[in-house]
Amino acid sequence: MQLNGLIFTLPKEIKLLIGAFIIVLSIGFFTGLLFVGETSSTNPNGIEEQYLGNEDDENATVMRFKKSDQEMLTLVHNHILSMAIIFFMVGLLVAITKLNNKLKIFLIVEPFVSVVLTFGGLYLLWKGMLWMKYIVMFSGILMTLTYSLSVLIVFKQLFQKR
């Protein structure tokens, strides 16, 4: 079965369904990024503080405490499962676009690597591997860029005449 470019041959109803899905999914995805920004997790020290707390910092404007075992396991579990489903669905859509095969494979596989590095990295950071905050930041940025590029490609090709 030839998948490359299959998106152009889909019926209008399926294209509208995919378009609506991509829009709503992206609202959810980018709202999550707004939350990350609000918790000051957009820099390496903010990431560390969010999960390890800042009780020792007398100048802290917002007091944060180290996450409990249950909080960390819930966060890692929920994010890995939900993002695996998100990137599986987006990967299926990328698979039917017309793209260079190497780029397509990168866009399909990379988010799964970033999910493991980001949320596994948060867990390892919480366990005391402080340098993981840089891995978490890099993989989170790469995951966001890959997601954004993937949905832009799908959306563009969805309504493009062949």
Side-chain angles (χ1 to χ4, degrees), residues 103-143:
L103 175 60
K104 186 182 286 192
I105 289 170
F106 175 79
L107 292 175
I108 290 171
V109 173
E110 191 288 322
F112 294 102
V113 174
S114 282
V115 166
V116 170
L117 287 175
T118 301
F119 296 100
L122 285 176
Y123 185 79
L124 293 173
L125 169 68
W126 177 77
K127 282 297 208 180
M129 294 177 69
L130 300 183
W131 57 270
M132 286 301 295
K133 61 188 171 186
Y134 300 105
I135 303 296
V136 168
M137 184 147 197
F138 176 76
S139 61
I141 290 169
L142 188 57
M143 181 186 352

Side-chain angles (χ1 to χ4, degrees), residues 30-43 46-47 49-51 61-64 67:
F30 291 112
T31 301
L33 290 179
L34 289 174
F35 177 76
V36 169
E38 287 296 315
T39 59
S40 65
S41 297
T42 55
N43 67 65
I47 294 169
E49 189 177 277
Q50 178 66 20
Y51 297 95
T61 55
V62 175
M63 183 63 69
R64 291 193 167 86
K67 301 274 186 247

